[in-house]
Amino acid sequence: MVRYLITPLAPLKGGILLSWRHVIAMTINCLLFFSNEISGQQYDLLIKNGHVIDPKNHINGKKDVAIAGGKIMRVDNDIPTAQSKKTIEANGLYVVPGLIDIHTHVFVGSKPGKFADGINSVSPDDFTFKSGVTTVVDAGTSGWRNFDLFKGQVIDRSQTRVLAFLNIAGSGMSGKPTEEDTSDMISDSAVVVLNKHKDIIVGIKIGHYEGSDWTPFNRALEAASKSNSPLFVECHLPQFSLEDQLRKMRRGDILTHSYEQVAERMPVVDEQGKVRPFVLAAQKKGVLFDVGHGGAGFWFSQAVPAFKQGLVPNSFGSDLHRFSMNAGMKSVLNIMSKYMAMGMSIEDVITRGSWNAAKSIQREDLGNLGEGSVADITVLSFQKGKFGFIDAAGKKLEGSSKLEAELTIRAGKIVWDLNGIAAEPWTQ
Ligand SMILES: [Zn+2]
């Protein structure tokens, strides 16, 4: 605090003196801080008695989580309620990092039949918080030509943190013939836009190309290499063999729709139920496998044998869009519950839904509950009963447990509260 009081009077790096208005504002902030200190309420919010799972910090047990100024201030055994302005009782609930969905299509606009600036995309806030998601990554719905429109129209206006893979196709998912135009796939232009928005654009995407020329794939790979970021491969590349795609992919590149069984891409599991050796070799090399459930991207006929043979997804991308949200996919939590029904532990599904997803997009500031991190937090109920989970083929897998988002906190602010656990009782 001492440093805080002194710095307003000192010149800043560029030699600019702070105005008195700034000095007064900072002094008021300090006084507020001290008054909170005197009252003992240094935290804005305290989540008590929840079972915290924070894979990055190796925490898996009953802890309290204290938040102030939109950040996580303390995770400890017994933080007194008197130290917080507000306390939420989370006994019997899981307290985990805000979930990260690395495959969505959220460049919503008014164009009929389009994903880019169109009605096939969806508005992130409409779906995220109710399923415990605080960060989404748009999977190349925009390209270097229309990223600014996407940013102004959606990213800057959403409460959800919206990040993006930039499509190598200049206008993103604008449909044919634009999406097939190789002359518009310019890696240097993509890199320029990525570097300008390094805080938002996390990588390059290739997908939805029907030609047999490898130019789009190579250009995308070139842009990803030049920007030291991952390549996100969304298939829909019917002329390219899966083996060749995986051979070209580098450690840290991401394949999505990993467990699809469709004509346009060879499935990862062969007709005898075995994961193809070149797929396992790619996994060993460090290629990451994302679910990318969507409307056609997740089949139990692939996912179950793959899971049993160790081809486990690194992340639970939903491929959220207008046509997937009400079918088998439903939400990231539904995908996580599917994996619990297949035998994955809750610790493991939380790891892949948060910390692993953050690492895969090189955003290690996210997906964890470390002290000083942004307070993106999800409080989950673990429900027991008889549940059914549906895949892209319309087939059902039964399970005995399901996760539901009780409370979602984005940068310290409560943005979803299913049963009012943070609300005061109504009195007449
Ligand atoms: Zn997609």
Side-chain angles (χ1 to χ4, degrees):
M1 284 318 298
V2 172
R3 187 170 57 87
Y4 197 56
L5 281 169
I6 290 169
T7 46
L9 302 172
L12 291 177
K13 257 185 191 166
I16 306 158
L17 280 167
L18 281 172
S19 71
W20 280 109
R21 208 173 51 169
H22 284 111
V23 174
I24 290 164
M26 292 173 98
T27 309
I28 289 169
N29 281 338
C30 285
L31 289 172
L32 282 172
F33 180 88
F34 283 124
S35 74
N36 285 335
E37 284 278 284
I38 291 159
S39 69
Q41 295 180 324
Q42 68 261 50
Y43 304 127
D44 299 328
L45 193 60
L46 177 64
I47 306 171
K48 268 204 88 69
N49 301 317
H51 182 123
V52 174
I53 300 178
D54 178 12
K56 180 187 180 183
N57 296 299
H58 311 289
I59 296 174
N60 184 8
K62 203 166 193 172
K63 296 269 179 198
D64 296 346
V65 179
I67 299 157
K71 292 201 174 347
I72 293 165
M73 302 306 283
R74 199 174 152 206
V75 179
D76 217 331
N77 283 334
D78 190 12
I79 304 172
T81 53
Q83 292 182 4
S84 180
K85 290 171 204 155
K86 186 177 179 68
T87 298
I88 296 169
E89 177 58 49
N91 190 26
L93 300 170
Y94 284 96
V95 179
V96 307
L99 301 176
I100 301 172
D101 184 349
I102 71 160
H103 186 163
T104 63
H105 296 284
V106 294
F107 185 5
V108 67
S110 60
K111 289 181 182 163
K114 301 285 184 196
F115 283 90
D117 191 22
I119 65 167
N120 291 358
S121 289
V122 295
S123 179
D125 293 353
D126 293 359
F127 298 89
T128 48
F129 299 142
K130 60 178 68 180
S131 52
V133 173
T134 51
T135 297
V136 297
V137 186
D138 180 87
T141 319
S142 73
W144 59 271
R145 278 191 191 280
N146 53 2
F147 176 78
D148 282 345
L149 178 67
F150 175 36
K151 183 174 180 295
Q153 197 159 289
V154 177
I155 297 174
D156 295 345
R157 293 168 188 270
S158 299
Q159 278 188 283
T160 309
R161 177 186 292 97
V162 181
L163 306 175
F165 289 108
L166 196 70
N167 205 315
I168 193 61
S171 297
M173 291 168 64
S174 291
K176 293 180 192 171
T178 323
E179 222 169 328
E180 304 270 319
D181 181 3
T182 52
S183 69
D184 211 29
M185 300 175 186
I186 306 168
S187 53
D188 283 344
S189 300
V191 172
V192 166
V193 174
L194 186 148
N195 284 335
K196 192 178 158 199
H197 300 284
K198 259 188 178 314
D199 55 332
I200 302 172
I201 302 175
V202 296
I204 301 290
K205 174 248 177 92
I206 172 74
H208 303 93
Y209 173 73
E210 294 187 357
S212 56
D213 177 1
W214 280 89
T215 301
F217 203 99
N218 293 338
R219 296 253 174 92
L221 202 50
E222 188 181 54
S225 297
K226 281 183 177 172
S227 56
N228 287 319
S229 63
L231 178 69
F232 190 80
V233 180
E234 195 179 349
C235 318
H236 309 297
L237 303 161
Q239 305 299 320
F240 301 165
S241 83
L242 178 63
E243 187 167 7
D244 287 342
Q245 290 179 57
L246 289 172
R247 193 185 302 124
K248 279 175 175 281
M249 289 168 74
R250 309 157 304 164
R251 179 181 180 78
D253 288 340
I254 303 163
L255 184 81
T256 190
H257 300 316
S258 295
Y259 310 101
E260 70 180 356
Q261 192 166 339
V262 294
E264 67 184 38
R265 200 203 70 195
M266 179 185 274
V268 293
V269 174
D270 68 15
E271 293 76 12
Q272 283 72 47
K274 294 272 180 235
V275 177
R276 299 178 198 277
F278 67 80
V279 176
L280 291 171
Q283 184 189 33
K284 205 171 167 194
K285 180 173 73 175
V287 170
L288 303 174
F289 292 82
D290 177 58
V291 167
H293 192 305
F298 181 84
W299 297 55
F300 288 129
S301 56
Q302 289 287 305
V304 173
F307 180 72
K308 285 182 181 160
Q309 292 166 58
L311 189 74
V312 182
N314 183 65
S315 52
F316 297 117
S318 67
D319 195 13
L320 172 71
H321 54 71
R322 186 179 175 87
F323 308 110
S324 67
M325 62 196 194
N326 291 321
M329 186 275 282
K330 295 181 179 65
S331 69
V332 167
L333 286 178
N334 192 275
I335 299 171
M336 289 163 72
S337 302
K338 277 176 173 134
Y339 270 89
M340 293 198 309
M342 284 158 59
M344 192 182 276
S345 70
I346 181 156
E347 290 82 4
D348 216 354
V349 296
I350 298 301
T351 300
R352 289 157 205 282
S354 57
W355 179 231
N356 278 14
K359 282 193 292 184
S360 74
I361 54 169
Q362 301 178 348
R363 287 297 301 262
E364 298 190 10
D365 55 320
L366 305 176
N368 71 84
L369 301 177
E371 291 173 3
S373 293
V374 64
D376 288 359
I377 302 171
T378 298
V379 179
L380 298 169
S381 64
F382 185 94
Q383 301 183 357
K384 289 185 179 157
K386 194 177 171 208
F387 305 108
F389 301 102
I390 307 166
D391 72 358
K395 297 286 165 54
K396 180 168 76 173
L397 176 71
E398 290 194 340
S400 58
S401 57
K402 189 169 81 166
L403 295 171
E404 189 156 43
E406 279 291 334
L407 189 83
T408 306
I409 296 171
R410 168 81 181 93
K413 189 178 160 202
I414 295 164
V415 288
W416 172 258
D417 184 1
L418 183 64
N419 288 299
I421 60 171
E424 297 297 323
W426 176 81
T427 48
Q428 203 163 9

